[in-house]
Amino acid sequence: MMSTSVISHLDRGKWGKASWRGNCSGYVYRDIFQQLAPRTFCDPMVGSGTSVEVAAEMGIEAYGLDLHSGFNVLRDSILGAVGKPVDLCLSHPPYHDMIVYSGNVYPGEHPDDLSRCADPEEFMDKLQQTLLNQREAVSGGGFYGTIIGDLRRGGQYWSFQADAIARMPPDELRAVLIKAQHNVQSDSRRYAGLRMPRVAHEYILLWERPTRAVAMLSTLSSLAHAQQRRLRGTWKAVVRQALVSLGGEASLSRLYEAVAENAPERLAGRQHWREKVRQTLYVNDWFAPVERGVWRIA
Ligand SMILES: C[S@@+](CC[C@H](N)C(=O)[O-])C[C@H]1O[C@@H](n2cnc3c(N)ncnc32)[C@H](O)[C@@H]1O
């Protein structure tokens, strides 16, 4: 059993293939299986087979699927491939193009390979679809999740885990575990002079599918609703901070300037952003009118 939310295994064990780039230690899967005690398990991106070998050894009925053996998580239903819902569906996708799989780790480039996305945004769209496919493959009360690392490139940092959490139903998230990353290739490179420390961890995100039947449409609408709420929250925060920077009270025209100053490229081409600022002022009790066209923090 895991005693804390931090997992660290120096050894990867005898399962799967040590030579498979970006493989995961079998001990990590063992920890997760001990914790969740699934009777049935599916890994839709099984790679060298680490997870299913550990599962089989623990007496868990396990299904391993992968693009390398003809299963495409972006086009095929996991539920359809397994034939019944499972208790746990855990994926370990490529971390965007950090390691390219098809046509590199194994022969035959494949356009739907998640390690062959044009940019991090395309990767995240595809990872979200993968997670929805996984969610559909588990029974009510079952768990779905992913093992994912973040990406730092050219000084920029993409937190795929943060994005994955934001894109899935918030009420289904059950755990965010940190997995220490050992022996990654970059260990051997020189890191002297870097301002930020080398990334040496990954995440294991676990969601639980509700027991009551929830239609896909209602999942989607709750996701869309959460996103709209976040967008409204962002407008509220931006407008309030603009007022703070103007001393707590300002005319609309000064407020527009302050908002535009902070996000010029985002607002360029958006015709209605001034309306959005006004609407934000009117509907939130964070703001109060002083006189016509002048607002203050409430
Ligand atoms: C990080 S590796 C998995 C490693 C595995 N956990 C292990 O220990 O060997 C990611 C896998 O995702 C697979 N993959 C990428 N795109 C896919 C897709 N569209 N459908 C199914 N599998 C995909 C790759 O073929 C690769 O084997």
Side-chain angles (χ1 to χ4, degrees):
M1 292 282 270
M2 286 176 243
S3 52
T4 73
S5 56
V6 180
I7 305 181
S8 176
H9 291 288
L10 273 170
D11 191 11
R12 67 171 314 281
K14 60 182 178 186
W15 311 277
K17 282 203 193 82
S19 60
W20 189 269
R21 290 198 57 207
N23 65 65
C24 178
S25 164
Y27 292 107
V28 169
Y29 290 107
R30 199 184 59 179
D31 285 351
I32 297 169
F33 295 150
Q34 279 173 349
Q35 190 73 35
L36 299 178
R39 280 158 305 165
T40 47
F41 165 72
C42 175
D43 184 339
M45 299 178 151
V46 78
S48 68
T50 313
S51 60
V52 290
E53 285 179 27
V54 176
E57 218 177 81
M58 292 173 74
I60 300 164
E61 188 182 323
Y63 300 85
L65 309 166
D66 199 290
L67 198 59
H68 65 47
S69 40
F71 175 82
N72 184 343
V73 78
L74 300 178
R75 290 176 196 273
D76 307 322
S77 148
I78 300 171
L79 182 60
V82 174
K84 60 176 181 186
V86 289
D87 295 334
L88 172 65
C89 184
L90 183 65
S91 63
H92 181 207
Y95 306 163
H96 183 32
D97 58 359
M98 232 186 279
I99 296 172
V100 175
Y101 285 91
S102 67
N104 185 35
V105 171
Y106 54 88
E109 281 181 28
H110 198 296
D112 286 341
D113 178 355
L114 263 81
S115 65
R116 288 190 172 275
C117 296
D119 50 46
E121 284 73 29
E122 183 188 330
F123 170 72
M124 269 315 305
D125 292 346
K126 290 182 171 172
L127 181 62
Q128 184 177 16
Q129 193 214 318
T130 301
L131 290 170
L132 289 172
N133 200 346
Q134 288 179 236
R135 182 181 184 274
E136 191 186 271
V138 298
S139 39
F143 288 85
Y144 61 101
T146 194
I147 304 176
I148 185 86
D150 289 339
L151 173 71
R152 177 182 287 130
R153 182 168 296 159
Q156 205 181 327
Y157 194 96
W158 282 277
S159 187
F160 295 132
Q161 61 94 20
D163 220 353
I165 291 172
R167 285 170 178 239
M168 295 307 288
D171 49 341
E172 295 181 17
L173 185 66
R174 292 293 174 272
V176 178
L177 311 175
I178 307 291
K179 167 186 175 294
Q181 207 179 24
H182 301 288
N183 306 320
V184 282
Q185 223 179 37
S186 49
D187 267 353
S188 54
R189 293 192 208 136
R190 285 188 59 235
Y191 273 88
L194 259 193
R195 236 197 251 161
M196 295 297 168
R198 180 178 62 79
V199 178
H201 69 279
E202 292 149 294
Y203 300 86
I204 299 163
L205 310 177
L206 294 171
W207 293 267
E208 184 181 359
R209 187 174 181 169
T211 27
R212 69 200 151 80
V214 179
M216 191 47 140
L217 206 59
S218 100
T219 304
L220 270 180
S221 85
S222 98
L223 276 177
H225 191 248
Q227 267 150 28
Q228 274 163 16
R229 212 170 40 224
R230 207 169 294 130
L231 186 64
R232 277 199 304 274
T234 303
W235 272 109
K236 209 163 118 174
V238 164
V239 170
R240 187 181 173 111
Q241 184 49 34
L243 270 175
V244 166
S245 71
L246 295 167
E249 182 178 315
S251 67
L252 267 179
S253 55
R254 293 204 63 204
L255 204 50
Y256 293 148
E257 274 170 33
V259 169
E261 214 168 276
N262 289 325
E265 70 288 346
R266 288 204 173 180
L267 297 177
R270 292 199 186 189
Q271 290 159 3
H272 303 301
W273 67 270
R274 286 182 186 82
E275 266 169 41
K276 197 77 211 166
V277 170
R278 282 199 302 280
Q279 187 194 15
T280 304
L281 289 165
Y282 282 119
V283 300
N284 286 296
D285 56 6
W286 278 16
F287 311 107
V290 178
E291 58 187 73
R292 206 181 142 78
V294 180
W295 287 83
R296 66 173 173 84
I297 293 173

